[in-house]
Amino acid sequence: MVSPKLRWNCPSAGGLIPDNAAMSLGEFDLIETFFWRRPGQGPHRAVVGNGDDCAVIAPAPGMQLAVSTDTLVEGRHFLSTVSPARLGHKALAVNLSDLAACGAAPVAFTLALTLPRVDEAWLRGFARGLLDLADEHDCELIGGDTTAGPLAIGITVMGEVPAGQALLRSGAQVGDDLWVSGHPGEARLALEAFRGSLHPGLSTEAFEATRLAMERPDPRVALGVGLRSLATAAIDVSDGLLGDLGHVLRRSRVGASLNLDELPVSPWLVARSPDERLDCILAGGDDYELLFTASPAQRERIAQLGAELGLVLSRIGRIEAEPGLRLWRGGQTVPNRWTSFDHFKGAA
Ligand code: ADP
Ligand code: MG
């Protein structure tokens, strides 16, 4: 039987592969060439790493494993114009962002790669973007799966957090402050520029800067770890600030007031119309900033953490007992006309 994955010059596929494929890199050669590290190269966190039927990892004593999966599909999560290095970076970054939202420190990840063809230059760039970010966060690639088909990248990431200290969506308390990191909205501005829907369009400088935010997000791992003992709840902003805030409010069974005047405005959004600015910040998506809640007693320590990390942390609202979300601007409530991105309902 010809397995659908045996279309390359796979050494163990004995006779299934046509001779003219012999020049191309086989499946196992490909995996070894691009995704396995030599001893001393890259982090080593696993007891048994890449190359056996399973990887084996042992969490440190007193730690719990936090596990999360995210898949990127061409046309859905990234545009075909993205460079392979940035795509490799982003595929891991969106997964590390989930660990950050739980306050977990990265340990290891697996990579399920579906490729339409073996393009060595593409693989080299992709592996560099992916493994550079992995090394930066001491996160070992311990295994995966490689198959042929439309381009898709699935990553499962594992992190560790002291037992009982994982930050959850369900922990927000009435009276807590509501905070957000960085400048949400930049990725959406770039996406709209790609779609040609901005009038006026962006300057080259603004386009390149916001495109970087969209294609190469920085997961807030150190912030998540620093917030373990400070925050009551956290989530990473992937589907839009208001939509993701909604998840925290529902899971915590609370409501909130959000002050639109306190939202951090990226320098690239300052020049846009007020409506466009709010659309991007509140419902943009693909931000990978952390939205979190904390007692007002922690304000000073949170400000200090932001300063240590060189990260803008903005206090944008307050958790309240009354269910639902109330938006304020200039001391008045304003209607909520924003919804978040839903893959099955279409764009916001
Ligand atoms: P099996 O058929 O036993 O599931 P595979 O042939 O799929 O194993 O993979 C062989 C080895 O290479 C395994 O250790 C697997 O984890 C690893 N591997 C496969 N694809 C990748 C990849 N894209 N990145 C890293 N490791 C991979
Ligand atoms: Mg096996």
Side-chain angles (χ1 to χ4, degrees):
M1 286 291 148
V2 180
S3 142
K5 68 187 265 192
L6 296 177
R7 278 291 159 202
W8 301 323
N9 176 28
C10 162
S12 63
L16 293 175
I17 304 299
D19 284 341
N20 62 4
M23 293 302 287
S24 74
L25 207 53
E27 177 187 340
F28 296 107
D29 298 329
L30 178 162
I31 296 166
E32 287 194 41
T33 305
F34 295 107
F35 300 109
W36 289 7
R37 323 301 292 277
R38 284 184 290 281
Q41 211 190 16
H44 280 279
R45 312 289 306 270
V47 180
V48 176
N50 227 318
D52 216 303
D53 291 310
C54 287
V56 179
I57 52 175
M63 304 296 263
Q64 290 175 328
L65 272 190
V67 182
S68 180
T69 298
D70 256 320
T71 301
L72 300 191
V73 176
E74 182 165 2
R76 228 336 138 173
H77 303 95
F78 60 91
L79 304 173
S80 58
T81 47
V82 68
S83 76
R86 285 191 182 180
L87 183 60
H89 175 104
K90 183 166 179 175
L92 182 59
V94 303
N95 280 279
L96 293 177
S97 178
D98 283 316
L99 289 186
C102 287
V107 174
F109 69 107
T110 61
L111 169 67
L113 195 56
T114 309
L115 297 171
R117 69 192 74 81
V118 181
D119 175 339
E120 291 191 35
W122 188 94
L123 278 161
R124 203 170 299 116
F126 177 84
R128 177 165 40 82
L130 179 87
L131 296 174
D132 280 355
L133 184 67
D135 291 354
E136 192 183 312
H137 291 282
D138 201 20
C139 193
E140 183 182 357
L141 175 57
I142 56 170
D145 191 35
T146 308
T147 185
L151 182 58
I153 304 137
I155 287 184
T156 297
V157 77
M158 283 146 271
E160 56 185 15
V161 60
Q165 283 188 33
L167 292 171
L168 305 179
R169 298 177 178 186
S170 54
Q173 304 292 317
V174 173
D176 279 354
D177 294 324
L178 179 64
W179 296 80
V180 70
S181 66
H183 293 107
E186 292 184 345
R188 182 57 176 265
L189 190 64
L191 180 63
E192 295 302 332
F194 270 106
R195 287 174 170 166
S197 63
L198 297 181
H199 305 286
L202 298 180
S203 67
T204 307
E205 194 190 9
F207 177 63
E208 290 306 332
T210 53
R211 180 183 187 176
L212 193 67
M214 177 177 90
E215 295 182 341
R216 206 179 177 287
D218 223 354
R220 303 305 188 194
V221 172
L223 176 63
V225 170
L227 287 174
R228 273 177 196 163
S229 53
L230 303 177
T232 50
I235 189 168
D236 66 319
V237 181
S238 52
D239 295 337
L241 196 156
L242 291 192
D244 288 319
L245 173 57
H247 294 308
V248 171
L249 300 184
R250 274 188 295 278
R251 296 293 295 269
S252 299
R253 299 174 186 276
V254 292
S257 275
L258 192 151
N259 186 349
L260 301 184
D261 300 321
E262 301 294 339
L263 289 172
V265 183
S266 150
W268 310 114
L269 279 163
V270 170
R272 310 306 302 183
S273 73
D275 274 354
E276 206 171 69
R277 191 185 309 151
L278 284 177
D279 287 352
C280 286
I281 298 174
L282 295 176
D286 237 9
D287 296 305
Y288 307 103
E289 295 297 346
L290 294 189
L291 183 70
F292 58 95
T293 57
S295 158
Q298 304 292 3
R299 280 179 194 171
E300 217 166 287
R301 291 175 68 194
I302 289 171
Q304 200 184 331
L305 178 62
E308 275 165 29
L309 299 174
L311 194 54
V312 176
L313 300 180
S314 307
R315 189 154 50 82
I316 60 172
R318 192 178 162 81
I319 299 298
E320 296 168 344
E322 189 188 338
L325 177 63
R326 291 152 292 280
L327 303 180
W328 294 83
R329 183 161 50 183
Q332 315 238 306
T333 55
V334 292
N336 181 357
R337 61 180 174 81
W338 296 274
T339 51
S340 70
F341 188 84
D342 181 322
H343 284 275
F344 296 99
K345 283 192 193 148

